[in-house]
Amino acid sequence: MPIALQGAAFLPAPASMTRTPTPSSHAAPESPSLRSEAEEAAEWKSQLLLAHYRHTPQAVLSGMALSAMIAGVLWGTAPHSTLIQWLVSVELMMLLRLLVARYYLHGGGRARWSMRQWCAVTHLQTTLSGLSWGALGLFYAVVDDQAARTALLMTLMGACAGSAALIGSIRGTLTVYGVLSMSPLIGMLLTRGELAQTYMGAALVYYVYLVMVKGPSRISGAMAEQHANRRDRDRLVARLEDAERVGQMGHLIWNEAARCSTLSAEAQRQLGFDSTTIRSAREVWSRVISEDRPRVIELSSQAVAREDRELRFDTTISGPFGPRDLRVVQRFDYDAQGRHVQTLTTTQDITELKTTQRELRTLAFEDVLTGLVNRAGFTQRLHERPVQAVLMLDLDHFKYVNDTLGHATGDRLLVMMAQRLGTCLRSQDTIARLGGDEFAVLIHDAVHHDQLERIARRLVEALSAPCRIDDHDIFVSASVGIAVPESAHSATTDAATLMQQADTALFAAKAGGRSRHQFHSEDLSQRTRDRVTMEADLRRGLSERQFSVHFQPKVALDDGRIVGAEALLRWNHPERGPVSPDVFIPVAEDSGLIVAIGAWVLRDACAAAADWNRALAPGEPPLRIAVNLSPRQFLNHDLIGTVTTALARTGCRAEWIELEITERLLLDERGQAGETLDGLRAMGLTLAIDDFGTGHSALSYLTKYPISTLKIDKSFMRDITTRTDQAGVVRAIISMGHSLQLQLVAEGVETEEQARFLREQGCELAQGWLFGRPMPRQDFTALLRARAAQALTPTV
């Protein structure tokens, strides 16, 4: 839009693509829509047909008068009855044409009949009219008066000439009319044998060609060209207006000499003007909001004073659609003397762009779901404001809520938790949602250790209270990790370190039992560093094959036969030496490496079982190798596929493998454990519960799942011969196992007294140092060969 000094115009409002609808009271006329060639042709035919019927009354009335006059001229020389018949027929035909034209123009005929039907009617009328007037030429042969003949000839020529002007808009009609109306007369003149009349006939042929054939084509071509030019101009205007509307860009031109602005259609829409011409610059400037108007006028004035060629700025207008943001570009023209003569101003409505930028700024620092500060905003405040403590929180078992009740319920739970956090903390504290179920708190004021304790306990209690959502009582808990600058023995601990320390404390709180808080300490950091190092070593050890599988014999207590073994993972670190499974297995579990490690152990155990069982003498009972399964390996991966692959690759039979699981796997409420156990049992593998008696032991689990074996935890063996309570627990487990028809295996048997007690109570199998320590595969093979012919003799 053009904005010029002392009388510029610019300023936009919403265009057709903005969200705000354009009120009809302020909307400028819409630009004509672009139409196809077929639509343009149909419209052009419709206009020609309309022009034809608009001219029909004039043509009919003049024709009726002309027919009456020529009848009067011929009355004295032509047969009266024939002449009257001709006159009546012509007058009736013309009256019919007049009625049809009235029906088309005023009787609703345009809507009832198609354009093709009306064109057919027009051609029929033209044919009838040509035949009627052609009959007049037949009177030439019966009229003896030369003056009457001349009048007849002139009448027909005049009728043709008049028709060219009045009915020639429809293609083909004029030619048909001319040929039909003049052919009888031309035929008689050419066949009478007189030179003068032959000449007149030939002249009439040429006349018909010029007036009735060639003339209409030239007129039609000129009209079509004019229509095409107008159509092209309209299309160009429509495209320009559409481009302005789509781009939400208007323009106006200020003419300094005329002291007026010419507005485009989009400029009219943006500014809310009804006219394309505005004669007062003040009207345009009034659209700029009052607080920005002086700045904008000053910018334009200074640009003209400096004879700048271009000026760009953003402003806000208050138009018919409310406040709108505009991007304005002004281009100034000057004459040879440097006088300002014209300004072209273009304006683009950037309201949505500005709104989006503001929304993006909000989104960049605010969590959409809870309205809390997000991670970016949290980090910003962590660096910008003094921080006395950082608290990291997350919800225990939140994933279970999402998995069972859906993410919509999970989102509502997060909103409720955010609201509870707000009630537990002060307005000056920063509360943030970092993502998922992870929250954080910044304490900006000085606080003591005891105060932080109370805050942490209050947060844990508030977040652990039950929530009622859609008839569901949801119970979650929270863990909190706390870091303060002093925890790093420095009052200037940087923000990133504080967040890392709070994260470390949160991890320790969750590992310590959840639903609790934990302060950061240097010892926690060291343990975290050790864990990170351990994980890296585990990955390297897996790729470099530093692991091995040892096998601990499992024997029958009645005769000492080796009935199988338990596969146990061992790690000989190249620098640390042997690393205890109690140290590296938890790290492998947390990192997920246990899945790959477990699959490798299973394949190695299957290969060993296949070799040992193939070497047995005929008739000897097969050896069964037990393999421990990780909960993570069991629940989160395709365990059945892993087992199937291991058996297929090693040629091991399913009945040679026993899979050991922990009791907490049986607590799975989603049904996945039962489906997997049933699938494994259907394959022919046996299933055992490891470390029975130390977890959530329950008879319901033992009867619900296809368990074959119970392994009595080694912690019961230590005092089995010296403490009656321990002995009583073992007796109860053995009795329960027998009643459920389960096989029993005692772990950690180290003395003959322990073995005798177990034998007396009816325990079938045992393993422990009394019968052999875990050993490499080749040593276990040698042991099998040495005991092939005799039972194993127990030694301390």
Side-chain angles (χ1 to χ4, degrees):
M1 298 214 156
I3 185 173
L5 205 57
Q6 306 168 348
F10 69 79
L11 310 176
S16 59
M17 292 185 64
T18 61
R19 296 186 188 133
T20 307
T22 305
S24 58
S25 58
H26 295 286
E30 291 291 333
S31 60
S33 58
L34 298 180
R35 293 174 294 185
S36 65
E37 293 290 340
E39 291 173 330
E40 290 284 352
E43 176 64 22
W44 174 238
K45 288 182 179 180
S46 177
Q47 292 178 8
L48 292 177
L49 193 63
L50 178 62
H52 170 80
Y53 279 107
R54 281 178 176 172
H55 294 151
T56 293
Q58 180 182 358
V60 166
L61 293 176
S62 61
M64 294 176 74
L66 185 63
S67 62
M69 287 188 291
I70 190 61
V73 171
L74 299 179
W75 184 259
T77 60
H80 291 177
S81 60
T82 306
L83 186 61
I84 292 172
Q85 291 176 2
W86 173 82
L87 179 61
V88 171
S89 64
V90 169
E91 295 292 338
L92 289 176
M93 183 273 300
M94 290 191 177
L95 182 61
L96 177 63
R97 286 186 62 186
L98 190 63
L99 293 175
V100 171
R102 179 175 179 81
Y103 176 65
Y104 178 87
L105 295 172
H106 308 293
R110 296 175 63 183
R112 296 176 185 174
W113 292 359
S114 68
M115 186 169 63
R116 177 174 294 185
Q117 290 174 315
W118 277 112
C119 287
V121 169
T122 303
H123 281 283
L124 177 60
Q125 289 178 330
T126 302
T127 301
L128 293 176
S129 182
L131 291 172
S132 299
W133 283 99
L136 179 63
L138 298 176
F139 285 96
Y140 190 86
V142 297
V143 173
D144 294 331
D145 184 60
Q146 189 62 36
R149 287 182 173 181
T150 303
L152 185 151
L153 177 64
M154 297 300 295
T155 299
L156 288 176
M157 292 178 66
C160 288
S163 298
L166 296 177
I167 67 171
S169 57
I170 303 301
R171 176 174 294 183
T173 56
L174 191 59
T175 302
V176 170
Y177 176 80
V179 171
L180 293 177
S181 62
M182 297 298 291
S183 292
L185 178 59
I186 293 174
M188 283 190 296
L189 291 173
L190 291 176
T191 58
R192 293 182 66 87
E194 297 181 7
L195 180 61
Q197 292 184 355
T198 302
Y199 172 77
M200 290 175 59
L204 285 177
V205 171
Y206 186 62
Y207 171 80
V208 169
Y209 171 75
L210 288 179
V211 175
M212 312 303 284
V213 179
K214 192 67 175 179
S217 64
R218 289 180 179 177
I219 295 172
S220 176
M223 292 175 64
E225 182 178 0
Q226 184 180 15
H227 172 72
N229 292 337
R230 184 170 64 250
R231 179 195 62 198
D232 292 342
R233 185 188 68 242
D234 291 343
R235 284 185 172 183
L236 179 60
V237 171
R239 286 194 178 99
L240 290 175
E241 292 185 353
D242 284 346
E244 284 196 351
R245 187 162 50 251
V246 170
Q248 302 185 70
M249 296 182 67
H251 77 270
L252 43 81
I253 301 174
W254 170 258
N255 187 302
E256 186 68 23
R259 306 294 297 169
C260 69
S261 286
T262 303
L263 286 71
S264 68
E266 183 62 20
Q268 290 178 255
R269 270 188 289 268
Q270 291 177 343
L271 298 176
F273 290 118
D274 296 326
S275 173
T276 58
T277 302
I278 303 299
R279 297 197 171 274
S280 171
R282 190 171 300 174
E283 289 186 59
V284 180
W285 288 116
S286 65
R287 296 296 196 265
V288 182
I289 59 174
S290 56
E291 52 267 37
D292 197 35
R293 195 178 305 148
R295 178 187 71 90
V296 171
I297 294 177
E298 181 66 19
L299 283 174
S300 186
S301 300
Q302 290 179 355
V304 173
R306 293 190 302 266
E307 296 187 16
D308 293 340
R309 291 293 179 182
E310 187 174 281
L311 174 65
R312 297 171 179 264
F313 58 88
D314 292 348
T315 188
T316 304
I317 65 165
S318 179
F321 316 104
R324 307 294 295 179
D325 295 306
L326 297 183
R327 179 151 293 163
V328 181
V329 179
Q330 290 183 283
R331 291 180 175 85
F332 305 103
D333 292 333
Y334 306 91
D335 61 15
Q337 288 72 38
R339 290 189 297 266
H340 172 232
V341 295
Q342 179 177 279
T343 300
L344 169 64
T345 300
T346 60
T347 56
Q348 183 177 17
D349 188 337
I350 57 171
T351 304
E352 291 192 5
L353 174 63
K354 291 287 189 179
T355 301
T356 300
Q357 289 175 343
R358 287 190 288 268
E359 290 174 350
L360 288 176
R361 280 195 294 271
T362 300
L363 290 175
F365 298 106
E366 182 178 301
D367 178 57
V368 177
L369 178 64
T370 62
L372 298 177
V373 174
N374 64 10
R375 182 178 291 274
F378 176 80
T379 304
Q380 183 185 51
R381 295 194 186 186
L382 189 61
H383 287 84
E384 290 180 350
R385 299 177 59 185
V387 175
Q388 299 301 318
V390 177
L391 286 74
M392 305 293 287
L393 309 86
D394 74 0
L395 304 180
D396 304 324
H397 310 301
F398 176 74
K399 184 178 183 298
Y400 180 75
V401 176
N402 268 344
D403 291 344
T404 56
L405 300 179
H407 288 275
T409 301
D411 287 347
R412 292 173 63 183
L413 178 62
L414 290 174
V415 172
M416 294 179 67
M417 293 298 152
Q419 293 169 348
R420 291 183 183 183
L421 285 174
T423 62
C424 294
L425 296 163
R426 303 163 300 177
S427 58
Q428 60 265 38
D429 299 325
T430 296
I431 310 172
R433 178 182 174 228
L434 304 185
D437 64 331
E438 188 178 5
F439 295 88
V441 176
L442 296 180
I443 306 296
H444 298 285
D445 299 338
V447 287
H448 299 295
H449 186 277
D450 293 342
Q451 291 175 295
L452 286 175
E453 284 270 9
R454 288 194 295 272
I455 291 173
R457 282 197 297 270
R458 188 162 62 242
L459 291 175
V460 171
E461 291 173 2
L463 299 183
S464 300
C467 301
R468 183 76 175 174
I469 300 178
D470 292 339
D471 299 328
H472 295 289
D473 289 319
I474 300 175
F475 298 88
V476 293
S477 57
S479 301
V480 181
I482 309 168
V484 294
E486 290 76 12
S487 64
H489 306 292
S490 170
T492 59
T493 305
D494 64 272
T497 300
L498 279 175
M499 287 187 67
Q500 184 181 29
Q501 291 173 349
D503 262 330
T504 300
L506 174 62
F507 180 81
K510 295 175 75 69
R514 303 176 184 269
S515 191
R516 57 191 297 271
H517 67 274
Q518 174 72 53
F519 280 87
H520 175 266
S521 66
E522 187 57 36
D523 180 58
L524 282 179
S525 290
Q526 184 58 48
R527 277 188 278 169
T528 301
R529 289 191 290 269
D530 291 344
R531 184 190 178 283
V532 172
T533 303
M534 176 67 71
E535 182 177 338
D537 287 349
L538 278 173
R539 295 183 184 277
R540 189 179 304 109
L542 184 60
S543 63
E544 296 178 359
R545 300 186 178 181
Q546 298 173 5
F547 296 100
S548 62
V549 178
H550 286 202
F551 298 88
Q552 185 174 31
K554 185 186 300 182
V555 303
L557 285 171
D558 56 353
D559 59 7
R561 286 181 303 104
I562 297 178
V563 297
E566 180 179 1
L568 300 169
L569 182 63
R570 293 295 181 261
W571 183 19
N572 189 25
H573 194 278
E575 298 174 0
R576 304 184 190 188
V579 182
S580 171
D582 293 338
V583 174
F584 72 82
I585 289 296
V587 178
E589 288 272 5
D590 291 337
S591 64
L593 288 171
I594 194 65
V595 176
I597 295 174
W600 175 81
V601 171
L602 179 63
R603 287 195 301 271
D604 196 80
C606 288
D611 290 345
W612 293 330
N613 280 291
R614 291 193 190 100
L616 292 176
E620 290 189 48
L623 298 173
R624 182 175 292 151
I625 308 304
V627 181
N628 289 283
L629 290 180
S630 157
R632 195 158 184 175
Q633 182 184 12
F634 189 91
L635 293 176
N636 297 331
H637 295 270
D638 182 15
L639 179 60
I640 293 179
T642 301
V643 173
T644 302
T645 301
L647 294 175
R649 289 184 177 179
T650 60
C652 179
R653 295 181 183 176
E655 59 266 24
W656 296 343
I657 298 297
E658 182 173 77
L659 300 179
E660 297 184 1
I661 61 175
T662 60
E663 289 178 89
R664 69 186 177 99
L665 275 176
L666 305 181
L667 295 174
D668 172 46
E669 297 180 1
R670 292 171 292 180
Q672 184 177 353
E675 294 176 4
T676 305
L677 290 174
D678 289 340
L680 294 171
R681 191 70 186 90
M683 293 172 60
L685 293 96
T686 56
L687 304 173
I689 295 182
D690 194 18
D691 302 332
F692 185 79
T694 60
H696 304 81
S697 302
L699 289 176
S700 61
Y701 299 140
L702 298 179
T703 57
K704 180 179 179 181
Y705 299 111
I707 305 300
S708 302
T709 305
L710 292 183
K711 298 192 72 175
I712 305 172
D713 188 68
K714 62 184 178 181
S715 62
F716 296 111
M717 295 297 110
R718 191 174 302 111
D719 302 318
I720 195 175
T721 59
T722 59
R723 290 179 52 182
T724 57
D725 56 343
Q726 291 288 75
V729 171
V730 173
R731 286 193 191 98
I733 294 175
I734 295 173
S735 175
M736 179 187 65
H738 287 162
S739 65
L740 295 175
Q741 298 181 345
L742 299 176
Q743 191 176 60
L744 293 160
V745 180
E747 296 182 294
V749 179
E750 299 181 358
T751 67
E752 181 59 40
E753 290 78 9
Q754 294 170 346
R756 186 182 303 112
F757 174 86
L758 293 169
R759 193 180 299 114
E760 292 172 354
Q761 301 304 318
C763 182
E764 298 93 347
L765 306 177
Q767 67 184 76
W769 287 7
L770 177 64
F771 309 106
R773 298 194 177 202
M775 60 191 73
R777 179 174 173 177
Q778 61 271 20
D779 293 349
F780 191 82
T781 302
L783 178 63
L784 290 176
R785 290 172 180 170
R787 301 299 177 92
Q790 60 183 4
L792 181 64
T793 303
T795 57
V796 180

